[in-house]
Amino acid sequence: MGGDIRSCRSGGGGGGGSSSCVVGMLLAMLITVSVFEPVSSSARQQFFAAPGSYTYQRLDIHVTEKTTSRREDNRRSFIPASRGMSEFLPRASTSAVHDQLQTHTTGGGDGVQANLMHRYAPSSPFRPVNATRSQLMKESLSRDYIRVLGIHAHIQRMVNGMLPEAKFQTLFQQHEEASAGNSDFQAPVVSGLTMGSGEYFVQLSIGTPAKSTYLVVDTGSDILWLQCSPCENCYQQSGPVFNPLASSTYATVRCGSKLCLDLDISGCQQSDCLYQVDYGDGSFTLGDFSTDTVTLNSATTAGGQVVLNSIPMGCGHDNEGYFVGAAGLLGLGKGPLSFPSQVGAAIGDKFSYCLTDRETDTTDRSLLIFGNAAVPAGVTFTPQVKNAKISTFYYLQMTGISVGGDLLSIPAHVFQLDASGDGGVIIDSGTSVTRLANAAYIAMRDAFRAATKKLTSTTGFSLFDTCYDLVGMTTVDVPTVTLHFQNGADMDLPASNYLIPVDNSNTYCFAFAGTTGPSIIGNVQQQGFRVVYDNVNYQVGFLPGQCT
């Protein structure tokens, strides 16, 4: 059963108003989930195996609208100590040395593109064998918890200086203790199932001759890096490790060059630049900073391939932590060394993606696009908010949340980036579940619970504290949820983006969580939207239903 989403409207009677209903086929029964929006004066619209034989129970979703009665409610709106570069083993080198970046394209046109794939898509090489939906969800949420912890630790390091290792160890120990006491935070013991990192992967080619590889897509990082031979420490990946000696276009970056100086952590071995990236969860990658060609598909109707020359990348010989699976990472952050920044001069510093259904093979419609072709007509933009302390993350100005059409009373400061560089709202491709500052989350959750009192509540699931048992039900009404951003760039979420199945027994949970750190808009809520990052005009835009 597919995840096709369509919307249709019917005329209303009586007191006006509207609602949406979601029709789902789960197991052998038909479930209709209705999303209603009553009108009010404040309403605003480790190992990887081949795909297994396990058949996932899918929810086939359709959205429609019907009339409801009018309501007159007036509601207001880990940072480890840096490893010494001298610890690094001698590595492969080439005679070519790169001093300054000069990016050239072959047939770039208006842009380039590549297919995206979710970790658990049936044809994904990263999909585990014989794992249940519940097991996969617990693993995903545990991985997500570590991701968010890492983002918070990175922000604290940048805002308050280097986070003491002891403090991170305390944070991480708390997570480990929570895992020990709560099976929901443990990675299930399933053949072929390991934590790994990343939710969405892109397939592109690197080097000459071009070698196809999978990289994690990450808007919260700035460096493109991949594992390289020889390895001091390399995790198990899908496919062979990249051999720089086999690429005729590979070149090391000279120590003292602008590229080397742009690195957050760098070192020298003889005259060659070394890089190190420390992630907030304690993972790191270390190796040669270099350049090579990257080959993607043309975004023009003519098709073909585009070769991007001399793209900066980390050639990692020591890669440790929560990696596994993909060959490395494609950094899409705002920093000067990120992939969008480096190809911007050639094809335009813009990119977009549309994240399609997580459990079906829709890679032909889930595209990551770079250049002017990344911006479709009809996108509504909201300005990026600058954080003077952190250049990587994409901050947005969130203005409110509506549940059932009612704008919740949430103080404006809850979504504000403060003068120190803390707080605010980040949109992130690598975080799964949206985290909201506790005050905002509690207000939204309580409003959602109040509107779903007729549903049968059940125990929480991992970090989800609002779950429902829908066994035996044929029609379910839930309120609409809308995230509001500056300049009217609203995200009117389909029900499948916030009420999600967590097992094969018709248990559905409200897919948000609270946080004491900055709010983060995750990829579950972004699913089905084309999200556009326009770094020329410093804005981010949303357009629903544009995955084709």
Side-chain angles (χ1 to χ4, degrees):
M1 290 177 285
D4 180 55
I5 297 178
R6 62 179 177 83
S7 63
C8 55
R9 298 174 183 272
S10 59
S18 64
S19 72
S20 303
C21 70
V22 177
V23 182
M25 181 72 71
L26 189 59
L27 300 178
M29 67 186 78
L30 182 68
I31 296 181
T32 302
V33 182
S34 300
V35 184
F36 61 84
E37 180 170 336
V39 174
S40 73
S41 60
S42 61
R44 296 194 296 176
Q45 292 287 84
Q46 309 261 21
F47 176 78
F48 305 98
S53 59
Y54 186 85
T55 301
Y56 292 93
Q57 307 297 328
R58 297 286 307 130
L59 181 65
D60 193 18
I61 299 175
H62 304 275
V63 180
T64 186
E65 295 196 352
K66 66 179 181 181
T67 301
T68 60
S69 60
R70 182 178 179 87
R71 282 175 32 186
E72 295 297 335
D73 297 346
N74 183 18
R75 302 183 187 178
R76 296 180 295 108
S77 48
F78 130 63
I79 306 299
S82 298
R83 292 170 56 106
M85 291 292 179
S86 61
E87 298 180 30
F88 184 58
L89 291 179
R91 72 273 173 255
S93 60
T94 67
S95 58
V97 176
H98 189 89
D99 287 305
Q100 292 184 331
L101 176 67
Q102 293 182 335
T103 302
H104 305 282
T105 65
T106 303
D110 284 336
V112 295
Q113 64 186 31
N115 289 333
L116 288 172
M117 175 182 290
H118 190 267
R119 171 185 288 273
Y120 297 147
S123 65
S124 168
F126 312 106
R127 174 184 172 181
V129 176
N130 297 328
T132 66
R133 172 178 275 144
S134 177
Q135 290 170 326
L136 293 179
M137 182 63 70
K138 288 178 180 179
E139 182 207 41
S140 179
L141 293 176
S142 186
R143 183 169 56 247
D144 205 43
Y145 181 95
I146 295 172
R147 165 77 178 189
V148 171
L149 181 65
I151 290 175
H152 290 175
H154 177 73
I155 290 172
Q156 289 304 308
R157 176 171 68 96
M158 302 304 292
V159 170
N160 301 318
M162 183 67 71
L163 183 69
E165 184 175 4
K167 183 176 180 181
F168 176 83
Q169 291 296 347
T170 298
L171 292 173
F172 197 73
Q173 184 176 0
Q174 290 173 354
H175 166 65
E176 293 297 302
E177 291 173 352
S179 300
N182 181 358
S183 61
D184 285 350
F185 274 108
Q186 292 179 341
V189 181
V190 180
S191 176
L193 186 61
T194 54
M195 284 290 291
S197 65
E199 293 290 308
Y200 285 91
F201 302 84
V202 64
Q203 189 172 21
L204 47 74
S205 297
I206 294 177
T208 305
K211 300 294 184 182
S212 179
T213 190
Y214 285 100
L215 300 177
V216 173
V217 174
D218 189 4
T219 59
S221 301
D222 284 331
I223 301 294
L224 185 166
W225 66 265
L226 71 163
Q227 296 199 113
C228 289
S229 61
C231 286
E232 177 184 353
N233 286 291
C234 284
Y235 56 85
Q236 187 167 6
Q237 69 176 56
S238 176
V241 172
F242 182 74
N243 179 6
L245 290 176
S247 173
S248 63
T249 47
Y250 176 88
T252 54
V253 170
R254 187 178 296 279
C255 210
S257 66
K258 184 180 185 303
L259 284 177
C260 192
L261 294 174
D262 279 340
L263 290 164
D264 288 335
I265 304 175
S266 63
C268 294
Q269 188 167 63
Q270 298 175 352
S271 62
D272 294 337
C273 181
L274 303 182
Y275 81 98
Q276 178 174 320
V277 179
D278 291 328
Y279 295 95
D281 61 11
S283 304
F284 66 89
T285 175
L286 170 67
D288 294 307
F289 201 46
S290 55
T291 66
D292 210 335
T293 61
V294 174
T295 303
L296 299 100
N297 295 324
S298 172
T300 65
T301 56
Q305 290 192 316
V306 179
V307 178
L308 302 171
N309 297 318
S310 302
I311 299 300
M313 65 177 223
C315 198
H317 303 281
D318 189 355
N319 316 290
E320 302 180 40
Y322 289 96
F323 304 126
V324 174
L329 183 144
L330 181 65
L332 301 179
K334 293 172 63 178
L337 293 175
S338 74
F339 187 76
S341 297
Q342 291 299 327
V343 301
I347 59 175
D349 193 358
K350 303 172 184 178
F351 71 95
S352 68
Y353 54 71
C354 192
L355 308 176
T356 54
D357 193 288
R358 294 166 155 248
E359 294 180 3
T360 57
D361 279 321
T362 54
T363 56
D364 58 325
R365 296 188 291 115
S366 191
L367 291 175
L368 173 64
I369 307 174
F370 298 93
N372 294 324
V375 186
V379 178
T380 303
F381 285 99
T382 187
Q384 296 179 17
V385 176
K386 183 178 180 179
N387 187 336
K389 297 291 185 68
I390 304 172
S391 64
T392 299
F393 299 130
Y394 292 91
Y395 284 86
L396 307 178
Q397 184 56 64
M398 195 170 181
T399 58
I401 301 172
S402 292
V403 175
D406 293 325
L407 189 63
L408 303 179
S409 180
I410 301 172
H413 70 80
V414 172
F415 303 121
Q416 294 288 338
L417 182 68
D418 65 29
S420 71
D422 208 354
V425 179
I426 297 167
I427 184 167
D428 180 46
S429 67
T431 299
S432 291
V433 175
T434 290
R435 305 306 206 276
L436 295 171
N438 282 328
Y441 172 69
I442 292 170
M444 180 181 67
R445 179 202 63 190
D446 290 352
F448 189 85
R449 285 178 174 177
T452 54
K453 289 182 178 179
K454 293 183 179 180
L455 299 182
T456 302
S457 297
T458 188
T459 55
F461 184 96
S462 187
L463 58 84
F464 298 142
D465 62 8
T466 301
C467 299
Y468 303 93
D469 182 357
L470 304 185
V471 170
M473 301 190 69
T474 58
T475 301
V476 178
D477 291 337
V478 297
T480 57
V481 174
T482 302
L483 307 181
H484 302 292
F485 297 90
Q486 188 177 355
N487 288 1
D490 295 347
M491 295 184 74
D492 296 312
L493 303 179
S496 57
N497 285 29
Y498 58 88
L499 194 65
I500 65 174
V502 296
D503 58 25
N504 291 326
S505 301
N506 282 21
T507 302
Y508 284 71
C509 293
F510 190 50
F512 290 87
T515 183
T516 57
S519 297
I520 305 173
I521 308 301
N523 57 52
V524 170
Q525 282 64 45
Q526 296 176 49
Q527 187 172 300
F529 288 83
R530 179 147 296 277
V531 183
V532 181
Y533 297 78
D534 180 355
N535 295 328
V536 175
N537 299 299
Y538 305 103
Q539 56 188 359
V540 172
F542 309 107
L543 187 64
Q546 291 294 313
C547 288
T548 56

